[in-house]
Amino acid sequence: MGSEGASIQKELDPLGNAGRQFDEAASRLNLPAGLREVIKHPRRATIVSLPVQMDDGSFRVFTGYRVQHSIVRGPAKGGIRYHPDVTLEEVSALAAWMTWKCAVVNIPFGGGKGGVVCDPDKLSRGELERLTRRYAADLSDLFGPESDVPAPDVNTNAQIMAWIVDTYSMHERRTEYAVVTGKPLEVGGSAGRREATGRGLLFCVRGACAHLGIPLAGARVAVQGFGNVGSVSADLLARDGARIVAASDVTGAIEAPEGLDVPALIRWVEDHRGVLGFPGARPLSPPIVEHDCDILIPAALETQITRENADRIRAKIVAEGANGPTSPDADRILERRNVFVIPDILCNSGGVTVSYFEWVQNRMGYYWPEDEVNSRLERIMTQAFADVLAKSLEHRVNMRVAAFMVAIERVVKVIMLRGVYA
Ligand code: GLU
């Protein structure tokens, strides 16, 4: 690989990017010598081989990961991702982002992440269940309400969480709902959890629009990734009067300059497994992140906005629904071009915030109505947005650096109070 090839490869490396983001913010804080290294590295990383019997009677071995980046502020918290491209490095980056995310919204969790290398579209329901149960069983010593609490992430959902609850509970010989969040309502889930990441994003976008003096009503929005985060964000923003002018997923991209009918698109995707072919919309061939819009929501995978395309982003606001969609090089370009980026660790933290509410409700055995969940979420998100914006204005840094500074300070404060055990 030539040096240009190597440097593009490097830009696409989420772990390297998470490290650069951390270093940039940490270098602005006056941290005790050596402490940066203490909090940068994951606390524990586990790799498991998961043998599963397939429907045709054959056996396959899948690889699973769980990384606990930090348990300083509370149990490790973070989702489990099922994807063919999952690697230990990716899961480690995602675990670190969870630490900073939980600290930005000031909830009592550390950061963790899990992943299984698989393509869930190619597995039957039975195979998916056996794989999930084997993963949960093999990691049941790590998991627990007080130690490590998984949740859904890319390609995992409430049903998968229900299988994890059941597997863990069978091993413990008692029902333990608080071991995972993002569960079905009937299995100890919280009202409002499924919509929480999109709703949190809405509160952040409202904050950004107010700060920049851009009216949300009538604003044109493009959504990359029409999964749980992208579709709920689009729906809620449209209810606030925004126009969703383009949307994409793995099947392709569509545009409708007059605005997509989001509830109808959500029903279409349920029936047709993708946005493509949605009546009334035109197929879109140029990359959706370069689409002419006011607000761009990358809600798919990592490193979608890079130094290759950052100059062509036309949005005024980038609201990061995904984890790690923008590389550090792209951040510099966007900052120079005055694009206001609401960073992932703030923008998509509504999900883990309601996961915290779910965990609290499980431990109380008392469940809140959805309006209570939503208003508590709004309070936390509004405060987090205000904390990060204040830091950004005070230190004249972009919102990502500011969010990392807020988060790192909170983690360091706890380390200094607890001390490092000899
Ligand atoms: N997977 C989501 C995230 O990346 C939610 C994590 C959680 O609720 O623990 O924030």
Side-chain angles (χ1 to χ4, degrees):
M1 193 188 293
S3 69
E4 176 62 3
S7 92
I8 290 171
Q9 199 57 37
K10 211 168 132 211
E11 198 192 0
L12 300 180
D13 158 31
L15 188 56
N17 291 346
R20 278 177 69 187
Q21 292 166 347
F22 170 83
D23 283 334
E24 181 165 5
S27 66
R28 291 169 195 272
L29 298 168
N30 193 13
L31 301 182
L35 205 65
R36 260 162 87 159
E37 292 309 304
V38 174
I39 49 181
K40 196 172 170 180
H41 296 290
R43 176 82 178 67
R44 179 186 282 138
T46 307
I47 306 177
V48 283
S49 297
L50 307 168
V52 175
Q53 184 155 29
M54 309 305 281
D55 289 349
D56 66 3
S58 67
F59 294 94
R60 265 181 71 185
V61 180
F62 296 85
T63 303
Y65 304 104
R66 185 71 183 171
V67 175
Q68 297 178 347
H69 174 261
S70 172
I71 49 171
V72 165
R73 286 171 40 89
K77 186 80 192 83
I80 301 167
R81 169 173 298 206
Y82 286 0
H83 197 278
D85 300 335
V86 162
T87 62
L88 181 61
E89 288 70 28
E90 183 196 34
V91 175
S92 304
L94 291 160
W97 281 321
M98 286 308 304
T99 301
W100 313 126
K101 193 184 298 189
C102 293
V104 166
V105 279
N106 218 353
I107 57 176
F109 287 135
K113 203 79 170 198
V116 177
V117 187
C118 68
D119 183 350
D121 280 346
K122 299 210 174 96
L123 298 176
S124 72
R125 185 182 158 93
E127 289 165 346
L128 203 58
E129 176 174 350
R130 292 194 291 280
L131 174 60
T132 299
R133 287 186 182 277
R134 184 66 200 228
Y135 178 81
D138 275 9
L139 294 176
S140 62
D141 287 344
L142 285 182
F143 293 160
E146 314 279 355
S147 52
D148 187 341
V149 186
D153 197 76
V154 173
N155 291 331
T156 53
N157 55 24
Q159 173 61 75
I160 290 175
M161 298 307 116
W163 290 328
I164 296 179
V165 162
D166 187 68
T167 308
Y168 183 85
S169 297
M170 290 298 110
H171 282 252
E172 293 289 304
R173 311 207 66 75
R174 67 192 159 83
T175 294
E176 181 54 88
Y177 283 148
V179 67
V180 290
T181 58
K183 303 177 292 288
L185 272 183
E186 300 79 358
V187 190
S190 172
R193 174 62 186 88
R194 193 186 64 78
E195 300 83 4
T197 310
R199 193 174 296 280
L201 182 144
L202 167 76
F203 297 137
C204 288
V205 168
R206 279 189 191 156
C209 285
H211 171 64
L212 299 170
I214 299 172
L216 182 49
R220 295 162 310 147
V221 180
V223 184
Q224 183 200 35
F226 207 72
N228 177 40
V229 178
S231 63
V232 174
S233 302
D235 188 33
L236 296 176
L237 286 165
R239 286 178 205 214
D240 256 25
R243 225 173 343 133
I244 313 304
V245 292
S248 74
D249 61 16
V250 283
T251 64
I254 55 171
E255 67 163 328
E258 63 292 348
L260 293 159
D261 176 348
V262 178
L265 179 58
I266 291 174
R267 285 194 299 275
W268 174 268
V269 169
E270 271 164 19
D271 296 343
H272 299 82
R273 302 185 66 131
V275 298
L276 218 59
F278 179 58
R282 286 198 303 269
L284 173 73
S285 37
I288 191 161
V289 293
E290 297 170 23
H291 196 68
D292 189 13
C293 62
D294 303 302
I295 302 169
L296 172 65
I297 303 179
L301 293 172
E302 298 93 72
T303 42
Q304 301 298 304
I305 307 177
T306 63
R307 62 168 185 259
E308 301 300 312
N309 61 10
D311 263 324
R312 295 194 295 277
I313 303 295
R314 292 196 262 179
K316 301 184 192 81
I317 297 172
V318 174
E320 295 186 337
N323 291 311
T326 310
S327 76
D329 287 345
D331 260 336
R332 290 219 174 91
I333 298 170
L334 295 178
E335 184 172 8
R336 202 183 60 226
R337 297 184 55 231
N338 267 329
V339 179
F340 189 87
V341 178
I342 314 171
D344 48 7
I345 58 171
L346 169 64
C347 197
N348 70 35
S349 59
V352 75
T353 300
V354 177
S355 277
Y356 166 53
F357 298 160
E358 184 174 326
W359 180 81
V360 167
Q361 292 171 83
N362 291 152
R363 290 157 66 97
M364 288 192 299
Y366 177 73
Y367 290 83
W368 307 335
E370 188 174 346
D371 57 352
E372 181 165 353
V373 170
N374 291 348
S375 65
R376 283 178 187 270
L377 173 64
E378 180 164 15
R379 225 177 302 148
I380 288 192
M381 296 302 302
T382 309
Q383 183 64 52
F385 187 88
D387 290 347
V388 173
L389 184 61
K391 188 67 105 186
S392 140
L393 297 173
E394 182 193 337
H395 292 266
R396 295 167 191 269
V397 292
N398 67 39
M399 289 287 280
R400 184 170 336 268
V401 176
F404 270 83
M405 288 172 77
V406 167
I408 295 168
E409 275 177 341
R410 287 183 180 153
V411 173
V412 167
K413 176 91 198 177
V414 177
I415 294 179
M416 297 315 284
L417 285 167
R418 287 180 60 161
V420 172
Y421 186 49

